[in-house]
Amino acid sequence: MYKNDKVIRRYSEPFKLKILDELSKGKHTKSELCKLYSIAPTTINEWIKKYNRKDLMNTRVKVETKDEISRIKALQKEIQQLKKLLLKKDLDTMVLDSYLEVAAEDLGYKSVAELKKS
């Protein structure tokens, strides 16, 4: 056998539907079906999407307390304030650099660094 030889499996439509039926009836979990029929979980997920069976997809539920939600909102607000302050500081720095360039030019210096030295 060659190094790159792979077994390519093709599943019939009735087989795919049988797997989804077993999953929907609760006979087996997705991981049990994967082990039982040697199918990758991603393959089953593709079949779920193909046959539009979103009810069989794993769902993620995020449970948060009111304290956590308020803390997250406060942190988001603080982030926005810090972004505004950083932007203001950057603008102030740009203005200062422009003033120094103009001052150096008016006073006859070749560069801002020369103005800073004296």
Side-chain angles (χ1 to χ4, degrees):
M1 211 173 206
Y2 293 104
K3 188 176 183 181
N4 291 332
D5 284 348
K6 291 184 181 180
V7 175
I8 299 174
R9 294 184 179 156
R10 302 279 184 216
Y11 301 99
S12 67
E13 296 296 317
F15 178 76
K16 294 175 186 177
L17 293 172
K18 175 188 168 200
I19 297 295
L20 294 179
D21 186 52
E22 287 183 23
L23 189 60
S24 66
K25 288 182 179 174
K27 289 182 179 178
H28 299 286
T29 64
K30 193 184 299 183
S31 60
E32 289 173 344
L33 288 169
C34 292
K35 289 176 187 173
L36 187 64
Y37 294 105
S38 300
I39 304 170
T42 54
T43 303
I44 294 179
N45 288 338
E46 288 174 13
W47 297 345
I48 289 170
K49 289 176 188 172
K50 179 181 177 182
Y51 294 105
N52 203 21
R53 297 292 306 270
K54 303 286 185 195
D55 57 308
L56 299 177
M57 248 337 190
N58 294 339
T59 55
R60 184 176 299 164
V61 178
K62 188 174 181 179
V63 180
E64 296 176 331
T65 63
K66 289 183 180 182
D67 293 339
E68 290 173 326
I69 293 170
S70 62
R71 174 93 172 117
I72 289 170
K73 286 182 181 178
L75 289 172
Q76 288 172 339
K77 187 175 181 180
E78 185 178 350
I79 289 170
Q80 290 302 318
Q81 290 173 343
L82 290 172
K83 283 181 179 180
K84 287 179 184 177
L85 286 172
L86 183 61
L87 181 63
K88 184 183 180 314
K89 184 175 172 143
D90 287 345
L91 287 173
D92 290 346
T93 303
M94 286 175 54
V95 168
L96 180 63
D97 289 345
S98 297
Y99 283 148
L100 286 174
E101 286 176 13
V102 169
E105 187 179 308
D106 287 348
L107 295 173
Y109 291 101
K110 294 179 183 175
S111 67
V112 175
E114 192 177 306
L115 173 65
K116 289 181 179 179
K117 284 181 184 178
S118 56

